Amino acid sequence: MRYSFLSVLLNGLSGQRGWKPAWRDAAPKPAYDVVIVGGGGHGLATAYYLAKVHGIRNVAVIEKGVIGSGNAGRNTTIVRSNYLLPGNEPFYEWSMKLWEGLERELNYNAMVSQRGVLNLYHSDAQRDAYARRGNAMRLNGVDSELLDAEGVRAMYPFLDFANARFPIRGGLLQRRGGTARHDAVVWGYARAADRLGVDIIQNCEVTGFLSEGSTITGVETTRGPIRAGKVGLAVAGSSSRVAAKAGLRLPIESHVLQAFVSEGLKPLIDGVVTFGAGHFYISQSDKGGLVFGGDIDGYNSYAQRGNLPVIEDVAEGGMALMPRIGRVRLLRHWGGIMDMSMDGSPIIDRTPRPGLYLNAGWCYGGFKATPASGWCFAHLLAKDAPHETASAMRLDRFRTGHLIDEKGVGAQPNLH
Amino acid sequence: MRIPCPYCGPRDSSEFSYLGDAAPTRPDPAAPGAEDAFFDYVYLRDNPAGPLEELWFHASGCRQWLKVLRDTRTHLISGAVFARPKAEVAR
């Protein structure tokens, strides 16, 4: 069923009884052309673009739990393309362009809202660094505006401009950035992929790989073996664990990142604002909750929950930025497991095992990348060659020294 | 998380800074195959889900490096020792 104003109206008049499930809960077939491991946003987007752009429809997405229950359902929903380095910026801008057309493409309301992303600066040195980043964005055809303190004040008069330690001097604004509804992105891709014939197989955990010599020819799962022409891994958070089953060691550590949402409030903050002197980012959901987060906890973890020191640190960042949220109560907080790569940038590449392809290392920036990650991974799987915007995201860049170290902190994953 | 520092006793993890997996050891740069060994040492990690021996520095305490055994699935810490044996520290 195509969703439209008419379908909403007719179902409203008939007591909402006409809606059908948005995708089939498929059982595994013995073999597929391509098997994608991981039913998050990236895996489902990959399957969708394989079917839509490359005409490869004999595809399965297999997921250990239910789709969207990992990091796709745990992020702070920010989309932006304000990167510095040439290996990153064209990719994230391609993602931004796909976000801009996503809802028409999928016929699904993903609530993409280009409400603007503002990164604040607090010193002359930070202003210069942001001016450089803004210029790098413009050289790649991306919008950016460097605001002074008055420009920021006109947008958000309630910020703590006179903070004695970290006065707000201005900010780098990307107006096309914003937020999207994370679950709707997963559901939209799942529905659109399903309509093109992709099997979405839930509660199906990969326990090993089928191989002939060094070539990967399928996966062993808790629901039986599934043969595949090609296998793509899109299991960020667990990449090391799954890749280890194929005998691979990755340049990745798993770390926990916490996120928070407050009780529902009346409209308070209409864009995305980040505090530049600590690490704190905040926006307001359409339900009214303030959605915010900060740094990763900083130690290896697969626990999907964090500890109090980082909660305190995030709260301090929030209070330094906008003291008026001091009496707002937290509604929920949670943790997700990040694939922290050794240079802070992702990997979309072939692996040393023929037939096995890797999409990993998203650190804590994977949500905004969902459409382009799917697009580029599908391109790689279909054509066996990297997409032009993801050609720097190679697995062997750590061996050859072609790192994409956006933050410049070296091979120390908990600092990226 | 509380880390049982062998010198200071149980202390909150916020007193410590984290380096990571204690297993990688710096290879000999003069040995044959040193380039591969350094790639492995700098970039590749086992990243296990389960018990992991890791290095923590007690920055706000005794300023000693500790080897802590911690489960990455539960954050349960089952022990901590000085990263270098006592005799080596004394030298």
Side-chain angles (χ1 to χ4, degrees):
Chain A
M1 178 198 300
R2 194 177 161 74
Y3 296 154
S4 64
F5 176 71
L6 191 65
S7 70
V8 171
L9 186 71
L10 291 177
N11 275 288
L13 293 173
S14 62
Q16 309 289 0
R17 284 189 300 270
W19 300 112
K20 301 268 190 314
W23 61 86
R24 297 164 293 129
D25 192 15
K29 288 191 285 191
Y32 293 91
D33 292 341
V34 179
V35 166
I36 310 288
V37 183
H42 290 222
L44 291 163
T46 304
Y48 171 71
Y49 291 119
L50 271 175
K52 180 74 191 299
V53 179
H54 303 284
I56 301 172
R57 298 189 173 197
N58 186 20
V59 174
V61 176
I62 60 177
E63 162 58 42
K64 178 176 76 168
V66 296
I67 60 168
S69 56
N71 295 331
R74 293 166 183 268
N75 55 76
T76 45
T77 78
I78 297 166
V79 299
R80 58 185 173 86
S81 59
N82 53 0
Y83 282 73
L84 171 70
L85 298 178
N88 273 333
E89 181 60 5
F91 172 85
Y92 286 103
E93 176 56 15
W94 177 231
S95 206
M96 198 66 234
K97 289 205 171 84
L98 290 171
W99 281 117
E100 287 173 327
L102 189 72
E103 291 159 323
R104 257 167 299 166
E105 172 81 22
L106 300 181
N107 178 228
Y108 204 90
N109 182 8
M111 295 166 67
V112 176
S113 165
Q114 294 180 287
R115 54 183 71 183
V117 173
L118 177 65
N119 301 143
L120 299 175
Y121 61 80
H122 307 265
S123 67
D124 291 352
Q126 200 170 24
R127 179 201 59 213
D128 293 350
Y130 280 19
R132 180 183 173 216
R133 178 141 59 100
N135 288 337
M137 291 163 64
R138 285 169 168 247
L139 286 171
N140 283 288
V142 183
D143 68 306
S144 74
E145 290 167 53
L146 194 67
L147 304 182
D148 59 10
E150 288 316 303
V152 174
R153 201 185 291 273
M155 295 178 75
Y156 300 109
F158 52 81
L159 299 180
D160 189 6
F161 287 85
N163 186 302
R165 179 68 184 83
F166 303 116
I168 294 168
R169 297 275 172 77
L172 182 66
L173 174 66
Q174 186 185 19
R175 289 191 193 274
R176 285 166 61 242
T179 60
R181 171 87 170 95
H182 52 351
D183 291 327
V185 175
V186 172
W187 300 333
Y189 273 119
R191 172 171 168 271
D194 178 84
R195 284 155 59 106
L196 294 174
V198 171
D199 278 359
I200 296 169
I201 304 162
Q202 302 182 103
N203 300 308
C204 181
E205 182 175 356
V206 168
T207 55
F209 290 90
L210 305 172
S211 58
E212 285 166 19
S214 67
T215 304
I216 299 288
T217 57
V219 287
E220 294 273 10
T221 76
T222 49
R223 296 176 70 173
I226 305 172
R227 282 185 296 109
K230 291 174 179 174
V231 176
L233 301 184
V235 292
S238 296
S239 296
S240 297
R241 297 169 76 181
V242 180
K245 297 180 199 298
L248 301 176
R249 286 176 84 214
L250 300 180
I252 285 172
E253 289 182 4
S254 295
H255 285 254
V256 58
L257 175 67
Q258 303 189 63
F260 309 82
V261 65
S262 78
E263 60 189 329
L265 304 171
K266 289 191 173 179
L268 174 67
I269 183 162
D270 61 1
V272 180
V273 180
T274 75
F275 180 52
H279 198 179
F280 178 82
Y281 37 91
I282 186 166
S283 63
Q284 188 168 20
S285 79
D286 291 4
K287 275 194 292 190
L290 299 177
V291 182
F292 56 95
D295 272 323
I296 55 175
D297 270 40
Y299 44 81
N300 288 34
S301 174
Y302 284 94
Q304 289 190 323
R305 60 188 160 77
N307 276 296
L308 287 168
V310 163
I311 298 176
E312 190 177 359
D313 185 64
V314 169
E316 283 171 356
M319 286 302 288
L321 176 69
M322 39 193 297
R324 61 157 49 179
I325 63 172
R327 294 193 179 268
V328 173
R329 285 168 296 187
L330 268 186
L331 183 64
R332 281 175 285 137
H333 93 283
W334 61 94
I337 303 307
M338 311 292 112
D339 259 17
M340 297 304 296
S341 70
M342 285 288 173
D343 62 356
S345 292
I347 297 159
I348 303 176
D349 201 2
R350 288 157 288 203
T351 70
R353 303 289 303 268
L356 183 65
Y357 298 76
L358 183 65
N359 175 321
W362 290 99
C363 297
Y364 43 86
F367 177 69
K368 74 177 89 68
T370 303
S373 169
W375 184 283
C376 295
F377 200 35
H379 188 279
L380 176 72
L381 284 160
K383 298 189 185 297
D384 242 327
H387 186 259
E388 56 184 358
T389 64
S391 57
M393 296 171 177
R394 299 170 62 109
L395 177 58
D396 69 357
R397 69 176 184 267
F398 301 94
R399 187 183 284 279
T400 60
H402 295 85
L403 303 182
I404 317 170
D405 195 340
E406 193 81 27
K407 208 169 164 186
V409 296
Q412 194 59 42
N414 62 342
L415 300 183
H416 281 292
Chain B
M1 291 191 297
R2 272 196 199 168
I3 296 175
C5 175
Y7 192 76
C8 309
R11 294 298 187 94
D12 190 85
S13 64
S14 58
E15 291 186 6
F16 296 78
S17 63
Y18 182 78
L19 186 65
D21 193 341
T25 51
R26 189 178 173 82
D28 175 4
E35 197 176 331
D36 282 345
F38 266 96
F39 164 66
D40 198 288
Y41 166 69
V42 174
Y43 292 116
L44 299 186
R45 296 289 178 268
D46 289 333
N47 194 19
L52 175 66
E53 263 201 333
E54 48 195 17
L55 292 170
W56 292 76
F57 179 62
H58 198 179
S60 306
C62 58
R63 302 191 67 75
Q64 294 298 313
W65 280 100
L66 305 182
K67 207 182 269 185
V68 178
L69 185 63
R70 192 179 59 94
D71 193 312
T72 59
R73 291 166 305 184
T74 61
H75 299 165
L76 182 75
I77 293 170
S78 43
V81 296
F82 289 122
R84 286 189 292 176
K86 248 183 182 164
E88 203 181 326
V89 174
R91 250 188 278 135

